[in-house]
Amino acid sequence: MTLVNSLMLANDTIVSSHTIETTTETGNNTSSRQSATPTDTITLSAEATAALASTSSTSKTDPQVSYYAQFFPTRDGGGTVFAENVIDPAATTISTGLSASGIAQAARKNMDAEYSAMTASGQPFNYDSANGTDWYTLMSGLDRTALSAVSSNQDGLFSTKEQGMAQYIMLQQEHFAMGNYAGPTYLEAKFVARTVSRQGYSDDFSQAVISQRTNITQQNVSWIKNLSLYLDKASSYEKSTVEWAFDRASAQTAYGIAMEAANQPEDPKYLSSFSIVGMLSELMKNGQKQHLMNHPTVMNISDLLNEEWAKGHEAAIQAALKKTRTELGYAQN
């Protein structure tokens, strides 16, 4: 198994928890970076627009949903629910109006039904299925909020492998939201990178300065901004999880360091309003200055408190997490 980190800083300090896990033996999934220019305004290119138009004639769904669904191949088509959450991470289906435990139970019931259906078909679930088809099929009924419950192992209902599969799909959604391809290698040629305008940047926002001081390119800055906005649109439940807090703080840390290197002020719209994010981001920045490693995957409180930069701040972090969960209505999450 191979882990590919999507965003990194100098001194090998990883500031994103995002990883793509690929199975080279089965030709499973991989990710690659597409060229993009930093922006505040993002639109699909003419080629992508044409691709969307070609799908709309045969689909009753939003053409953007049809376009992204193809990159989440299930046994009987594409992952429509996954694609809907690329566009809107807070859109819910089975999670609508449920408590944290209710979300987990709904996800468990849905997945168990998929396991049974695959077994009844004569082709039981295969973890090593080519292109991850059975991963997508197993979780095809889960909205992103439900995926978050699986990834964070809400109520202890999910296996380690199930948690990893859910995290993988959420990662794919984030990559597409950033404007970057992630998915089965055989489908990569169908992906058309989004074109962007240069609004919101001053002429002295120097690529050379950013790269020299931080090893973050303007392309990375664009991804970081897009990721920040995407995560800010997540559901209340997802925002109550440790994984979301870590991911959002990682993006904010990278953004802050890039702006500092370019001698540019931080735009408030890329900064989270949650105190836990600000706290973790400051700790990450201090850790980066001390060359402390930021691990690529944090899924629970134990992982978070095991970060080197978190040492000595455990009580404060736990208190901030509890405050955030209370504010979001998930105090017992």
Side-chain angles (χ1 to χ4, degrees):
M1 306 298 278
T2 304
L3 293 178
V4 181
N5 301 314
S6 62
L7 296 174
M8 298 185 71
L9 285 181
N11 305 315
D12 297 323
T13 302
I14 301 170
V15 297
S16 174
S17 69
H18 307 129
T19 59
I20 285 286
E21 188 174 46
T22 63
T23 306
T24 54
E25 295 86 355
T26 61
N28 212 10
N29 301 309
T30 187
S31 71
S32 63
R33 296 179 178 180
Q34 299 291 332
S35 179
T37 304
T39 181
D40 284 341
T41 303
I42 304 173
T43 59
L44 288 174
S45 64
E47 292 84 357
T49 301
L52 295 183
S54 68
T55 64
S56 62
S57 61
T58 58
S59 173
K60 295 181 180 179
T61 61
D62 183 298
Q64 290 191 69
V65 173
S66 298
Y67 176 71
Y68 287 118
Q70 67 183 316
F71 302 116
F72 302 90
T74 64
R75 288 190 181 188
D76 51 354
T80 299
V81 176
F82 301 146
E84 289 173 344
N85 283 137
V86 170
I87 299 167
D88 179 7
T92 57
T93 51
I94 67 170
S95 298
T96 304
L98 299 179
S99 65
S101 292
I103 296 168
Q105 291 167 11
R108 180 73 272 166
K109 180 178 179 180
N110 191 282
M111 291 165 60
D112 287 344
E114 288 291 348
Y115 278 127
S116 297
M118 285 188 273
T119 299
S121 73
Q123 294 181 310
F125 172 79
N126 177 12
Y127 181 79
D128 294 318
S129 62
N131 304 307
T133 300
D134 282 7
W135 291 21
Y136 300 123
T137 302
L138 173 64
M139 299 191 175
S140 59
L142 275 57
D143 53 43
R144 185 175 170 88
T145 298
L147 287 173
S148 184
V150 177
S151 178
S152 61
N153 195 24
Q154 178 69 48
D155 293 353
L157 296 180
F158 308 99
S159 70
T160 301
K161 284 187 175 181
E162 289 170 342
Q163 293 172 57
M165 287 185 279
Q167 185 188 46
Y168 176 87
I169 295 170
M170 293 177 71
L171 169 62
Q172 265 192 279
Q173 293 168 335
E174 291 169 19
H175 271 266
F176 284 126
M178 285 190 286
N180 180 34
Y181 181 75
T185 53
Y186 81 101
L187 292 171
E188 185 175 0
K190 294 185 176 182
F191 178 75
V192 183
R194 295 180 297 182
T195 58
V196 293
S197 63
R198 288 185 56 81
Q199 296 178 12
Y201 288 85
S202 59
D203 292 336
D204 61 351
F205 189 88
S206 170
Q207 164 71 61
V209 170
I210 296 174
S211 295
Q212 181 178 14
R213 296 184 183 178
T214 68
N215 201 32
I216 301 178
T217 66
Q218 284 188 336
Q219 181 180 29
N220 290 147
V221 174
S222 176
W223 287 343
I224 292 166
K225 287 186 171 185
N226 293 343
L227 177 60
S228 297
L229 296 177
Y230 181 74
L231 291 175
D232 282 345
K233 295 177 183 177
S235 68
S236 294
Y237 174 80
E238 183 180 347
K239 289 178 179 176
S240 75
T241 65
V242 170
E243 188 174 358
W244 182 89
F246 182 86
D247 287 359
R248 186 63 184 86
S250 296
Q252 186 159 307
T253 301
Y255 173 67
I257 291 174
M259 294 303 100
E260 182 180 356
N263 195 30
Q264 292 287 305
E266 296 179 349
D267 188 330
K269 74 179 179 181
Y270 300 115
L271 305 180
S272 173
S273 62
F274 289 99
S275 58
I276 181 61
V277 173
M279 172 186 290
L280 293 179
S281 181
E282 287 304 311
L283 291 174
M284 288 177 182
K285 289 178 183 177
N286 291 334
Q288 195 271 341
K289 293 176 182 178
Q290 299 175 49
H291 309 300
L292 300 179
M293 176 62 71
N294 199 37
H295 292 94
T297 303
V298 165
M299 299 176 68
N300 53 54
I301 188 63
S302 295
D303 290 343
L304 179 59
L305 298 183
N306 280 331
E307 292 294 306
E308 293 181 10
W309 45 261
K311 300 302 181 184
H313 304 279
E314 293 88 347
I317 291 173
Q318 289 177 307
L321 283 169
K322 183 177 180 179
K323 177 183 177 182
T324 298
R325 289 168 176 163
T326 299
E327 291 174 349
L328 292 168
Y330 295 98
Q332 301 304 314
N333 181 25

